[in-house]
Amino acid sequence: MKRKSWSMVLASMVAVTTLLSGCGGKNNSAESSAPAVSPSASASASASASPAELSGELKVMVPGGGNYLKHVNDYVAKKFNEEHPGVKIEVVQEPEGGNLAPLISANNLPDIYIGVFGYQPAKFAKDKLIVDMKDMPGSEDLFSRIQPQFVHEDFGGRYYVPWNATTQLMIYNKDLFREAGLDPEKPPVTFDQYLQYAKQINELPKRKDGAKVYGDYFWNEALTWGGWYWTMNAQIYYNFNDGKFGLMNGLGTDVVLDKPEAKMAEFLNFMKEAQKYAPQSSKDNDFFKRDKGMWLQFGYGWMANLATAKDKPMEIGKDVGIAPIPVQKEGDTSWSTLDGRSLMIFKSNPDREKLAFEFIKFMMKDEINLESLKVMAQLPTLTSLVNDSYFQRPEVKPFVDQLAHVIPNESIPAVDDVANAFLSNYTLFVVKGEGTAEDTVKKIAAEARTKLKP
């Protein structure tokens, strides 16, 4: 495939999200819109404070796992302190699964939270917990530097800055393909092929250390993590309905997952069959142990894990391959999700909030942001970085190409509640084998509508 230019890719994203308007794949209500920022806005932007003007304390909460804690503490905060020595920065890790409810109850929230796109900023904004950054000094300049496709408004405000972006594809183990008699250069294109390949790989003998070989893999340990883990399954679901349906309608007033054309039952049946060839628990037993054939939930942000694979680093193109998520029939468009990390400011007092925004602006400086993208293995949201040579490398190209066919996470506060209803019933049917797909869909819809009642 000939490489698309970033402008073509991102233009395609606009077309995609326009096509999906009102279908549940994205929230397009009057309260959630993303007007483009004028390129000339920077001319009228307020200047950042000088080093001598900045003093105070900040607590920055980062995601668990990966290199977030070390990178933000040892690089970003350190660089910021070189320019602003009067600011004391504490970097802490979020609770497991990103559950901030206990912190909210205890009024013990950080100044800056590095969360996710979609439901999280919308939910916090609805609960009046986070700051609208639209009128912060330098806001217009900052948002004018970000690709408009990543800029989203909730309830008329800009409640997060998109720090980075990612999307998900399928990764597969070429060595296990060869051993199972499959062509390592021809990954499965359809869901039927996927199940066939998974079965063949699953029948391979145990490894020398006694480890069982599995045909595929799902991150079942995260099934209790709510809306975030739903996005790990969403891109598979979208490929059953051509990206036309998410969990909810565009207004966030009702679920659409039980519509026959959403094909949720077909998705659940596929996942139940695929689970037969996967470990029920992924704890201490991940894809990078080299005993799993395929993983449909591999995000660009997982790249760092390749370096710590069992025995030696995994290399894309050599011992593992990257491919689009399978589809129902060959020739169908393969959809994926648009995900990423968002920078939010929890409400405290005006001085701390302004100081927090200064730190966010620093995080979005070209040289600082580029280094963060490299370390965290993420895709850029800044216009100035999209054509950087770092993002033209062969192992990045499949993810860049996939951006032409991505669906943003549903920016609806209630999505987390609906996702929890989905995941609890998904566990019973897919993992534990209880009931039928049709009855499971009815249960999910009924529980979700109960949660949506005023």
Side-chain angles (χ1 to χ4, degrees):
M1 181 187 299
K2 184 177 179 182
R3 180 186 299 277
K4 296 180 177 67
S5 70
W6 270 89
S7 60
M8 293 174 64
V9 168
L10 294 171
S12 299
M13 291 169 61
V14 174
V16 168
T17 51
T18 301
L19 175 65
L20 295 173
S21 177
C23 296
K26 180 184 178 184
N27 179 18
N28 289 294
S29 69
E31 290 185 323
S32 297
S33 59
V37 183
S38 169
S40 63
S42 59
S44 59
S46 299
S48 297
S50 67
E53 295 174 324
L54 295 185
S55 63
E57 298 181 359
L58 285 177
K59 180 184 285 189
V60 181
M61 182 170 285
V62 302
N67 297 319
Y68 284 100
L69 186 65
K70 178 175 176 56
H71 174 69
V72 175
N73 186 69
D74 296 356
Y75 176 74
V76 182
K78 182 179 179 181
K79 288 287 187 181
F80 185 83
N81 277 144
E82 289 175 3
E83 295 186 16
H84 309 289
V87 180
K88 181 180 179 181
I89 304 168
E90 179 186 8
V91 183
V92 299
Q93 188 169 296
E94 70 179 4
E96 184 176 356
N99 180 18
L100 301 190
L103 300 181
I104 293 172
S105 298
N107 194 27
N108 187 28
L109 291 165
D111 296 289
I112 297 172
Y113 177 52
I114 303 177
V116 296
F117 284 7
Y119 79 93
Q120 205 170 53
K123 183 175 182 178
F124 290 152
K126 182 182 179 182
D127 293 340
K128 303 186 186 306
L129 293 171
I130 54 178
V131 174
D132 179 0
M133 294 180 250
K134 184 182 289 186
D135 297 323
M136 284 287 190
S139 174
E140 290 186 47
D141 178 47
L142 173 58
F143 283 102
S144 73
R145 295 171 50 235
I146 298 170
Q147 290 286 340
Q149 290 81 0
F150 300 111
V151 178
H152 182 82
E153 291 197 358
D154 295 292
F155 312 106
R158 289 187 178 147
Y159 289 93
Y160 73 91
V161 173
W163 187 34
N164 57 47
T166 190
T167 190
Q168 297 166 353
L169 294 174
M170 177 178 73
I171 191 171
Y172 63 97
N173 187 312
K174 289 189 172 184
D175 290 334
L176 293 181
F177 266 53
R178 294 185 186 96
E179 191 177 341
L182 300 168
D183 188 339
E185 304 308 320
K186 293 183 179 179
V189 174
T190 66
F191 288 121
D192 288 341
Q193 288 176 348
Y194 178 91
L195 293 174
Q196 175 193 334
Y197 288 20
K199 183 176 185 296
Q200 283 184 236
I201 296 170
N202 204 69
E203 293 170 349
L204 291 174
K206 290 183 178 180
R207 306 296 87 178
K208 290 181 180 180
D209 62 1
K212 173 177 170 43
V213 176
Y214 293 93
D216 59 5
Y217 165 73
F218 298 99
W219 196 6
N220 290 337
E221 288 297 311
L223 281 168
T224 59
W225 291 8
W228 182 86
Y229 188 66
W230 157 249
T231 66
M232 296 284 283
N233 283 326
Q235 80 277 5
I236 309 171
Y237 166 62
Y238 292 148
N239 284 309
F240 279 88
N241 60 48
D242 196 29
K244 295 177 180 177
F245 293 89
L247 292 177
M248 304 184 70
N249 63 20
L251 297 174
T253 56
D254 194 13
V255 296
V256 296
L257 60 91
D258 58 339
K259 290 181 176 291
E261 56 268 37
K263 298 187 178 180
M264 176 62 81
E266 289 89 335
F267 160 73
L268 290 173
N269 278 323
F270 166 78
M271 295 298 283
K272 182 179 181 181
E273 186 68 21
Q275 183 65 51
K276 292 180 181 179
Y277 312 117
Q280 284 215 352
S281 172
S282 62
K283 190 173 184 179
D284 300 322
N285 196 22
D286 58 43
F287 177 86
F288 308 100
K289 284 197 169 185
R290 299 179 181 272
D291 54 4
K292 316 295 185 302
M294 298 173 287
W295 186 17
L296 294 175
Q297 302 169 319
F298 184 77
Y300 181 72
W302 296 108
M303 286 286 192
N305 293 279
L306 295 171
T308 58
K310 183 181 178 182
D311 299 329
K312 61 180 182 179
M314 286 179 161
E315 295 182 35
I316 292 178
K318 182 179 179 182
D319 52 356
V320 293
I322 298 289
I325 306 297
V327 293
Q328 287 187 294
K329 63 180 185 297
E330 195 164 350
D332 287 351
T333 297
S334 178
W335 297 96
S336 190
T337 52
L338 174 63
D339 205 347
R341 289 291 174 179
S342 60
L343 306 175
M344 294 169 274
I345 300 174
F346 278 106
K347 289 184 176 180
S348 54
N349 62 62
D351 289 338
R352 288 187 77 111
E353 291 167 5
K354 289 178 181 178
L355 181 59
F357 191 64
E358 290 298 325
F359 188 79
I360 286 177
K361 287 191 293 183
F362 183 83
M363 293 178 75
M364 297 303 290
K365 284 187 174 182
D366 284 5
E367 65 276 16
I368 301 297
N369 193 250
L370 179 59
E371 182 63 22
S372 295
L373 295 173
K374 290 179 178 179
V375 172
M376 308 319 307
Q378 298 287 351
L379 300 172
T381 59
L382 290 171
T383 304
S384 55
L385 297 182
V386 295
N387 292 318
D388 189 273
S389 60
Y390 182 81
F391 303 106
Q392 310 303 315
R393 297 170 299 140
E395 64 268 31
V396 182
K397 184 178 186 300
F399 293 93
V400 174
D401 289 342
Q402 184 60 38
L403 288 175
H405 302 292
V406 291
I407 300 172
N409 295 336
E410 295 173 82
S411 297
I412 302 169
V415 161
D416 194 35
D417 289 333
V418 176
N420 281 317
F422 165 83
L423 291 169
S424 61
N425 287 284
Y426 171 97
T427 301
L428 293 175
F429 175 72
V430 172
V431 181
K432 297 184 178 180
E434 299 179 11
T436 67
E438 291 73 19
D439 286 343
T440 300
V441 174
K442 291 178 182 178
K443 289 179 181 178
I444 296 170
E447 289 184 20
R449 288 192 172 104
T450 298
K451 293 175 180 290
L452 293 174
K453 288 181 180 179

